Amino acid sequence: MDSYYLVMLAFLGVIAIIDLFVGVSNDAVNFLNSALGCRIAKFRTTMWVATAGVLLGATFSSGMMEIARSGVFNPQMFSFAEIMVIFFAVMVADVILLDAFNTLGLPTSTTVSIVFELLGSAIAAACFKLVADGASLTEVADYINNSKALTIISGILVSVVVAFVSGAVIQYIARLIFSFRFEGAYRKVGGVYAGLAITAIIYFLVMKGAKGASFMRPEWIDWINANTTVILATLFIGLTIVFQAFISLFNINVFKIIILAGTFSLAFAFAGNDLVNFVGVPLAAYDAYREWAASGVSDGAFMMGGLLKPSTAPTAFLLFSGLVMVLTLWFSKKAHRVIQTSINLSSAQSGEQEQFGASLPGRMIVRASMTLGSVIHQIMPGTLSRALASRFEPAPVAEGTQPLPFDYVRASINLVLSAILIASATSLKLPLSTTYVTFMVAMGSSFADGAWDRETAVYRISGVLTVISGWFITALCASTLAGIVATLVFFGGEIMAVILGLAAIALLVRSNIRATLSDDSLVNQSNVRYDAPTIRTMIDEKAPENLRRSIELCRSILDGLLSDRESALRSAKSDASEFFDDLSAARGIYYRMALSDKKPSEADFDARYCYFRAFTNMREVGRSLQGLAKLALDHVANRHRVYEGRLADDLRTLVGLLEAMSKSENGNPDIAVFHANAQKALQAIDRLQSELLRAIPAEGISIRGSELYLTFLLFARELINHYEITAMIQTKVNALAQEP
């Protein structure tokens, strides 16, 4: 039995490392999006600052470890064997759940995950124990630390409101002071603003967080507490003088110092508050094992009241955990994807593909807000209204420069305020959700800053609602999944634990080794120069690929229809919608091209418009595919007759002719072969259309059947026409690219 628990501890250690990787991939957005979004420093500089913050912050997390030991359940009610199953179920459920959210590119809360997984697995263990003892299930509440659990959960929920309101109010005040043309006010009060920001960071991060540091001595903490006022006053006055001198005498941009310091502090606060989410459970399991091994009592009889005692994690272990987090920051593709999601939602840009679609609640909120805004505007004096509006008038974007998702003022507010809120919770040993706080602060500041205009508001609100609903779904899924895993292990014993552990690791290895990221790297995303040769390459690569994908989807729709399989058509309909979204996003790059460089040539201008025309034609094919898939799905779902005999064979022949159009030699399509096959397909379409008119009365084809058949023919004709135009555009772009 001893070896069984040693293997389980080793497994929990491996899972902890994987969980660190998965969790940081999810939470990197919390402390990187503001600095990367305002582009105040190079990518590597920002990453090195975040690296230092994570490593140092990890050593301040020791005081949070008791959350996993006794923060959600009463450990004295469980035996060692039951506690180990609880911890095992938590880690298996947590790493799978977070990896699933990361794969979807959605930020979620690791704190919500760990709290509800502990709750779900503890309830499952309590129920198993009560049933085995023949007791009533109403006694489950005795096994749960109700007051602490409710405090943690209510704190997480309240943080949503506090973070959003704080971000909106403070950003509104900051914008009134600085406006978007903040150079003038910055030279007058920039030193005070920087001094206040850095002083607040030091107070909440270092002085308030010192109690949780693994290396702090009691006498040091007592001295800090006794001299807090003097320290803060000295820091504020000294830093204000220094920063004002930087601005006035040396023309140094102190926003860079604030934002990088904010990035450091938020990474620091993240590591201090969230490390318990990843390694708290394995450390608690290790402490439980040591107590049991020293007791000499059987695993089922030894009760775990020892977990109620405070515990300090070794500094070396915390630093190792911080190192794993740092490596994840640098090398995780998923982390970059989640960062891009958050930057898109808080960006002030519009016109490109939004991360989320519109929703009915989003539309209702926008409509109600516009009505309320109209009423306020009518009541407010005109002079005051114009004065306020002038402070929120965006600064013009210099020609040839790419607009930032948000400026230095908003980036600094996002970072400093988020760090203050999280560090305050850490000092109270409350595992606040860093994802809740940073995301809602960013949303509140972007709302106050006018980033949610009429072009983007409904999408941004829908995105916020989607992400928040994802967090609540996380709570339900986390508790349910952990409860199921715990129940399976209780019933299946050691064999089931081995199966579940290996399955969890296998799923994660496959996901993280084989997963690919189609999005551009954050480092290179804004460095492309869209000249004529580049655009020629982009069209030449994507046009054949999109043609093949369009025909493949058409084949999938036809196969699903002729085989009368509704599930296949639903899958094809989903694929067609995803394809259309991809085409829309690709076409949206055109709007970025106008800002890529200062002096494009006439050929570059013409090539860019050709790009727009080419992808517009390809997108129209994607739109037609959506309509065809929906019509075919409705036909089968309503149980109408599907085609047989000659009609079915003719449609298969037509799709075969379309597939011949997409054939290529060594990946390079032959334009002449393409045109020849296109003409054959057009002739076949004309023939099939004529034959259908004769087949309707002869074979008794219904109006619905005729409509669907003609829609297939219409799609084929549109595909040929649009890609013929795209081929001509490719020829023109090729000529433009060869101009000197």
Side-chain angles (χ1 to χ4, degrees):
M1 185 58 70
D2 221 9
S3 59
Y4 167 64
Y5 290 119
L6 285 174
V7 172
M8 185 174 281
L9 280 176
F11 170 79
L12 291 179
V14 173
I15 287 290
I17 296 175
I18 299 175
D19 206 11
L20 276 170
F21 176 81
V22 176
V24 174
S25 294
N26 179 81
D27 282 3
V29 60
N30 296 340
F31 48 88
L32 288 175
N33 65 340
S34 292
L36 294 177
C38 72
R39 303 189 196 119
I40 198 168
K42 294 181 179 179
F43 178 83
R44 287 186 173 274
T45 302
T46 304
M47 291 293 288
W48 280 117
V49 169
T51 295
V54 167
L55 283 175
L56 188 58
T59 65
F60 276 66
S61 67
S62 181
M64 298 293 293
M65 294 301 165
E66 67 182 65
I67 300 299
R69 297 162 59 90
S70 59
V72 177
F73 56 84
N74 295 318
Q76 71 274 15
M77 303 291 290
F78 296 99
S79 68
F80 170 70
E82 293 160 346
I83 281 287
M84 291 300 289
V85 172
I86 290 173
F87 289 153
F88 175 83
V90 167
M91 295 303 291
V92 171
D94 191 59
V95 75
I96 294 175
L97 190 70
L98 290 182
D99 187 72
F101 272 85
N102 287 342
T103 301
L104 295 174
L106 288 176
T108 190
S109 171
T110 53
T111 304
V112 171
S113 300
I114 202 73
V115 167
F116 280 91
E117 283 154 0
L118 284 166
L119 184 62
S121 58
I123 290 175
C127 290
F128 183 84
K129 186 181 181 73
L130 291 171
V131 170
D133 295 341
S136 172
L137 291 179
T138 57
E139 299 178 20
V140 167
D142 296 336
Y143 291 79
I144 305 302
N145 188 349
N146 296 304
S147 59
K148 185 65 175 179
L150 288 175
T151 299
I152 293 171
I153 294 169
S154 60
I156 292 172
L157 296 176
V158 169
S159 70
V160 176
V161 179
V162 172
F164 185 86
V165 173
S166 300
V169 171
I170 294 177
Q171 178 61 39
Y172 190 83
I173 295 172
R175 190 61 71 193
L176 286 178
I177 296 172
F178 287 103
S179 81
F180 281 95
R181 298 169 175 81
F182 49 79
E183 290 78 9
Y186 161 76
R187 300 197 69 83
K188 296 176 182 177
V189 298
V192 177
Y193 178 72
L196 181 63
I198 302 300
T199 301
I201 287 173
I202 294 174
Y203 172 66
F204 286 100
L205 212 66
V206 180
M207 298 172 66
K208 294 278 285 183
K211 296 177 183 178
S214 58
F215 55 83
M216 289 295 290
R217 298 179 180 176
E219 57 270 25
W220 297 353
I221 296 174
D222 292 339
W223 183 85
I224 291 175
N225 291 335
N227 297 278
T228 297
T229 304
V230 176
I231 295 173
L232 290 178
T234 304
L235 279 172
F236 175 67
I237 294 172
L239 289 172
T240 298
I241 295 172
V242 170
F243 286 132
Q244 197 61 46
F246 282 172
I247 296 170
S248 303
L249 302 179
F250 305 104
N251 201 30
I252 294 175
N253 183 2
V254 297
F255 273 118
K256 186 171 185 177
I257 298 174
I258 298 171
I259 291 172
L260 291 179
T263 301
F264 171 87
S265 64
L266 195 49
F268 183 104
F270 157 76
N273 193 277
D274 275 20
L275 190 59
V276 63
N277 300 342
F278 311 129
V279 302
V281 168
L283 282 177
Y286 176 66
D287 289 342
Y289 174 80
R290 287 196 305 169
E291 290 194 16
W292 169 73
S295 69
V297 181
S298 66
D299 59 339
F302 183 73
M303 307 306 288
M304 292 309 306
L307 290 181
L308 291 171
K309 296 182 294 185
S311 176
T312 300
T315 300
F317 184 86
L318 297 178
L319 283 174
F320 173 76
S321 301
L323 180 62
V324 175
M325 297 165 79
V326 165
L327 293 175
T328 302
L329 285 182
W330 283 92
F331 300 110
S332 172
K333 295 287 188 179
K334 289 185 178 179
H336 293 185
R337 173 184 287 178
V338 179
I339 292 167
Q340 193 61 53
T341 297
S342 186
I343 290 177
N344 287 348
L345 277 176
S346 54
S347 170
Q349 300 180 50
S350 60
E352 295 187 30
Q353 180 77 0
E354 292 288 338
Q355 183 74 24
F356 295 93
S359 66
L360 179 59
R363 293 182 183 127
M364 293 173 64
I365 292 172
V366 170
R367 190 180 301 114
S369 300
M370 290 177 64
T371 302
L372 178 62
S374 178
V375 171
I376 294 175
H377 181 73
Q378 292 176 3
I379 297 174
M380 187 181 296
T383 304
L384 178 60
S385 179
R386 287 190 294 273
L388 292 176
S390 67
R391 307 301 292 174
F392 289 86
E393 183 179 343
V397 179
E399 182 181 356
T401 61
Q402 197 161 354
L404 301 175
F406 31 80
D407 66 359
Y408 298 158
V409 175
R410 179 141 63 99
S412 61
I413 294 293
N414 288 347
L415 289 164
V416 174
L417 181 58
S418 298
I420 287 173
L421 292 174
I422 295 167
S424 300
T426 304
S427 69
L428 299 173
K429 296 186 178 180
L430 184 66
L432 197 69
S433 169
T434 57
T435 304
Y436 272 126
V437 171
T438 54
F439 189 84
M440 295 311 294
V441 166
M443 291 302 99
S445 64
S446 63
F447 170 73
D449 228 15
W452 297 5
D453 59 16
R454 293 189 64 169
E455 297 298 322
T456 60
V458 68
Y459 305 105
R460 304 293 165 82
I461 292 174
S462 297
V464 171
L465 294 176
T466 298
V467 173
I468 291 177
S469 64
W471 291 330
F472 287 102
I473 291 173
T474 299
L476 177 61
C477 294
S479 58
T480 303
L481 182 59
I484 291 173
V485 172
T487 302
L488 290 174
V489 175
F490 277 123
F491 280 104
E494 300 176 12
I495 295 176
M496 181 57 68
V498 171
I499 292 173
L500 290 173
L502 292 177
I505 292 178
L507 285 173
L508 286 173
V509 169
R510 186 183 67 173
S511 173
N512 288 287
I513 291 179
R514 298 179 60 185
T516 57
L517 184 65
S518 60
D519 303 301
D520 294 335
S521 168
L522 290 175
V523 187
N524 303 319
Q525 192 178 42
S526 60
N527 295 331
V528 179
R529 184 175 183 270
Y530 296 102
D531 54 14
T534 300
I535 292 171
R536 175 181 61 182
T537 301
M538 294 170 70
I539 297 177
D540 286 349
E541 288 179 354
K542 288 297 181 180
E545 177 185 328
N546 291 335
L547 175 61
R548 284 192 297 272
R549 191 172 175 189
S550 298
I551 299 172
E552 287 171 1
L553 284 170
C554 180
R555 169 68 75 179
S556 299
I557 295 170
L558 179 61
D559 290 344
L561 173 67
L562 297 181
S563 61
D564 203 13
R565 288 189 297 130
E566 186 176 345
S567 60
L569 286 171
R570 290 192 184 279
S571 177
K573 181 175 180 288
S574 176
D575 291 342
S577 297
E578 181 182 348
F579 181 43
F580 178 77
D581 290 341
D582 291 343
L583 289 169
S584 297
R587 194 185 78 146
I589 295 175
Y590 170 75
Y591 301 105
R592 203 184 305 161
M593 291 179 180
L595 305 168
S596 63
D597 54 11
K598 294 183 178 180
K599 295 181 179 179
S601 66
E602 191 67 29
D604 294 341
F605 269 123
D606 291 343
R608 290 172 184 179
Y609 184 57
C610 287
Y611 177 93
F612 177 80
R613 290 174 57 204
F615 275 86
T616 297
N617 277 278
M618 288 186 276
R619 192 178 74 153
E620 288 306 306
V621 176
R623 192 192 303 277
S624 298
L625 260 176
Q626 282 186 302
L628 179 63
K630 182 180 184 305
L631 196 60
L633 175 60
D634 291 343
H635 190 89
V636 171
N638 293 331
R639 300 299 179 260
H640 299 311
R641 282 194 306 165
V642 298
Y643 307 118
E644 297 176 347
R646 183 174 179 182
L647 291 177
D649 292 339
D650 285 343
L651 286 178
R652 291 192 183 99
T653 300
L654 176 60
V655 174
L657 290 172
L658 296 180
E659 289 171 339
M661 289 170 48
S662 64
K663 296 292 175 59
S664 60
E665 290 292 333
N666 299 322
N668 298 313
D670 189 321
I671 298 297
V673 172
F674 170 82
H675 287 306
N677 287 321
Q679 291 305 311
K680 291 180 183 178
L682 286 173
Q683 292 170 7
I685 292 170
D686 292 336
R687 177 179 58 80
L688 294 179
Q689 189 169 336
S690 300
E691 291 177 354
L692 176 65
L693 293 175
R694 292 190 290 271
I696 288 175
E699 301 186 21
I701 302 175
S702 67
I703 294 177
R704 292 187 181 89
S706 301
E707 183 75 18
L708 180 57
Y709 191 92
L710 289 171
T711 302
F712 268 101
L713 300 185
L714 180 61
F715 167 76
R717 192 182 296 276
E718 288 186 356
L719 181 142
I720 293 167
N721 291 340
H722 284 299
Y723 276 93
E724 286 270 26
I725 295 172
T726 301
M728 290 187 288
I729 292 172
Q730 284 180 271
T731 302
K732 181 176 180 180
V733 172
N734 186 57
L736 291 170
Q738 294 175 356
E739 291 185 7

